Amino acid sequence: MAVRSANVNVRVEPDIKKQAEDILDKLGISVSAFINMTYRQVIMKRGIPFSVQLPSEIKTLDTMDDEEFDAMMESGLAQAKRGEAIPCEEAFRQPVDEY
């Protein structure tokens, strides 16, 4: 007896889709196989098969005291002096996983 299949239609940001598909391609896994594996994990775990939570509070100037701000700036300056900085244009071109 032939295995039946169903279609899944989703909307994904083009850049996110490309990055994910490039990784899956390197792993030798088709998008269909990945979705099938993910669905099976949802069934086995009876829920989402990975942690879904809000990130910890992002530090902003409004949430930092003077000491925290100074430490952040010193760390950034030391990083720049070690030559570990990149131009902001390049940073914004990098895929998310390279940050």
Side-chain angles (χ1 to χ4, degrees), residues 1-9 32-33 35-36 39-40:
M1 179 158 120
V3 176
R4 297 180 68 181
S5 64
N7 292 329
V8 176
N9 296 310
S32 293
I35 292 172
N36 214 338
Y39 276 14
R40 289 175 184 273

Side-chain angles (χ1 to χ4, degrees), residues 36-51:
N36 214 338
M37 291 184 325
T38 304
Y39 276 14
R40 289 175 184 273
Q41 285 294 309
V42 167
I43 293 165
M44 288 173 49
K45 304 279 186 181
R46 299 184 53 78
I48 297 174
F50 47 84
S51 176

